[in-house]
Amino acid sequence: MLSTRQKEILKIIVEEYVRTAEPVGSKSICDRLNVSSATVRNEMAFLEKEGYLDKTHSSSGRVPLEKGYKYYVEELISMSDDVFEEKAYELVDNIFSNKIVEREDAIKKACSLLSDITNYTTVVLGPDSSVQKVSKIELINLSELNYLMMVVTDRGHVETKQVSFEGEEINQEEIMKVMDILNDVLVGTALSDVYSKLTYIMDNHLVQEFLTYRDSIIQNFLNAFMKFSETNYYVSGSSNMLIQPEFQDQNKLKKLIDILEKKELIKIIKENSTDSVSIRIGSETGLENVDNATIISVPYENDKGDKGTVALVGPSRMDYKKVIPLIEYIAKDITKTYKK
């Protein structure tokens, strides 16, 4: 349990380090708390011993550690202490109130605005479609050898894929039997379980007798189904991470670029999305071999109740009391666009 004075000192150090990216010495704290330098140094030594702060080699100043940031976010932060200028919120409102701008464009613009304002990297993930269920699979005849496969979910989401039987002898009745089997087995199945159901169809030879059409139809169904599985996402301000002092080390920079280029960041955010504000600092982020980073994510909801995510990625030296309310504000505005 930290004392009131220790909490005040930790709060000052975190906020001053966020502002300057420089180690915080005892003098600036003495001036603000009106206590002796000896008292401040003793308290700083205690906070260092307990793992909240670290003493740099180059000066007697302290910098926050992961434990210090976490305590600050969970116990010391006050969203009313400081916020971005009202202008920032007006800019967000202007984006979403513009009736000429399509929803997807508005989300992209808001994503870019958040990056510009914060100087961090913004990621917006589209709603998760894996909870949707297959409602209907149809094969629509376009010509003698060409069909259109249509996969419909219970949420009204539709994906199509053209199927060609060129070079094959067509038996319309047998093709429809394959489609009947797919509908019997897959209708009512969550998209996340489709692969296992298809494996069941193949392993139990339910379409073995229709070998001529089996591969064409099932492969094209998979191609259409894969579109459901793709995560829609927007990323803005990727280069912002590269200019932060924490990531100037060449090894760290390379690791960070690899994560961004290989879309590992998208996967990490998607897997760790929750139903409320999530703040993951340092080792909690899942960014392998990348220290001193933070991921803040906030959910939003579409008109079907599916959840998407707005996330901000930056250094642990992040201005939490400013950025958290702004991310929440944008997530609420995205939700509102789906409710119109």
Side-chain angles (χ1 to χ4, degrees):
M1 176 72 80
L2 298 184
S3 69
T4 299
R5 180 184 290 154
Q6 288 162 355
K7 291 178 182 179
E8 289 175 339
I9 291 173
L10 179 58
K11 187 172 188 287
I12 290 171
I13 290 175
V14 170
E15 294 180 354
E16 188 67 14
Y17 186 65
V18 164
R19 188 179 67 84
T20 66
E22 296 289 339
V24 182
S26 59
K27 185 178 185 306
S28 60
I29 299 174
C30 294
D31 295 341
R32 293 175 64 173
L33 297 184
N34 195 26
V35 294
S36 70
S37 59
T39 298
V40 172
R41 285 196 295 270
N42 286 337
E43 298 290 29
M44 290 169 73
F46 173 83
L47 290 168
E48 181 183 348
K49 179 183 176 183
E50 294 298 314
Y52 294 94
L53 303 175
D54 192 20
K55 185 176 181 180
T56 63
H57 298 295
S58 58
S59 74
S60 59
R62 303 307 203 277
V63 298
L65 291 175
E66 181 178 324
K67 184 177 179 181
Y69 283 119
K70 287 178 64 176
Y71 191 87
Y72 172 78
V73 169
E74 294 171 0
E75 303 291 340
L76 306 180
I77 193 171
S78 173
M79 298 306 176
S80 61
D81 281 352
D82 192 12
V83 295
F84 283 112
E85 293 181 5
E86 191 174 323
K87 182 66 176 176
Y89 292 88
E90 290 178 1
L91 291 172
V92 173
D93 286 339
N94 289 340
I95 291 173
F96 288 103
S97 62
N98 190 337
K99 295 181 180 179
I100 299 176
V101 179
E102 296 291 333
R103 179 196 299 132
E104 299 303 310
D105 287 336
I107 293 174
K108 289 179 182 179
K109 287 178 182 293
C111 180
S112 178
L113 176 64
L114 184 57
S115 290
D116 290 343
I117 292 174
T118 62
N119 286 321
Y120 304 141
T121 300
T122 303
V123 180
V124 178
L125 302 184
D128 184 9
S129 62
S130 63
V131 296
Q132 297 185 47
K133 297 179 180 180
V134 177
S135 175
K136 181 170 56 177
I137 308 168
E138 288 188 4
L139 200 62
I140 302 169
N141 185 236
L142 300 177
S143 65
E144 184 179 354
L145 298 175
N146 296 297
Y147 291 75
L148 184 71
M149 175 171 284
M150 184 168 67
V151 183
V152 185
T153 74
D154 59 340
R155 301 290 181 88
H157 192 158
V158 180
E159 290 293 352
T160 59
K161 183 69 179 177
Q162 196 160 337
V163 183
S164 176
F165 293 105
E166 292 185 16
E168 302 177 26
E169 293 185 9
I170 297 298
N171 184 314
Q172 181 76 22
E173 184 177 342
E174 290 189 348
I175 290 176
M176 289 303 110
K177 284 181 180 178
V178 176
M179 294 304 299
D180 287 342
I181 292 171
L182 285 177
N183 272 288
D184 287 343
V185 176
L186 296 178
V187 166
T189 300
L191 295 181
S192 56
D193 296 329
V194 163
Y195 275 115
S196 61
K197 284 292 187 74
L198 280 175
T199 301
Y200 172 82
I201 290 174
M202 303 300 286
D203 289 349
N204 288 276
H205 309 294
L206 298 182
V207 291
Q208 190 68 32
E209 59 184 295
F210 308 114
L211 191 60
T212 306
Y213 313 105
R214 181 190 68 188
D215 290 342
S216 294
I217 291 177
I218 290 184
Q219 186 56 54
N220 280 283
F221 170 81
L222 281 173
N223 289 339
F225 165 72
M226 282 299 292
K227 293 182 182 178
F228 288 115
S229 303
E230 293 174 357
T231 300
N232 295 320
Y233 65 89
Y234 313 118
V235 179
S236 180
S238 296
S239 60
N240 287 345
M241 288 287 280
L242 310 183
I243 63 175
Q244 300 295 337
E246 289 82 351
F247 304 113
Q248 292 306 297
D249 177 271
Q250 290 299 311
N251 290 328
K252 289 184 179 180
L253 195 58
K254 184 179 184 303
K255 292 169 185 174
L256 189 59
I257 291 172
D258 286 344
I259 288 171
L260 293 172
E261 288 182 345
K262 295 177 182 177
K263 300 180 182 178
E264 290 179 27
L265 178 60
I266 307 300
K267 181 181 178 183
I268 288 169
I269 292 173
K270 184 177 180 180
E271 290 177 347
N272 290 281
S273 295
T274 64
D275 291 332
S276 59
V277 178
S278 171
I279 304 170
R280 297 187 298 283
I281 301 172
S283 60
E284 299 174 328
T285 62
L287 298 171
E288 190 174 352
N289 297 319
V290 176
D291 301 323
N292 301 322
T294 286
I295 299 177
I296 301 175
S297 56
V298 180
Y300 69 88
E301 192 174 277
N302 68 8
D303 54 333
K304 304 293 185 181
D306 300 322
K307 295 285 199 315
T309 304
V310 182
L312 198 64
V313 185
S316 297
R317 185 185 52 82
M318 184 181 283
D319 204 337
Y320 297 96
K321 64 185 177 185
K322 285 186 175 182
V323 301
I324 294 172
L326 187 56
I327 305 171
E328 290 181 308
Y329 194 83
I330 289 175
K332 288 177 182 176
D333 269 353
I334 294 176
T335 297
K336 289 177 184 176
T337 64
Y338 281 99
K339 306 296 183 180
K340 292 179 180 178

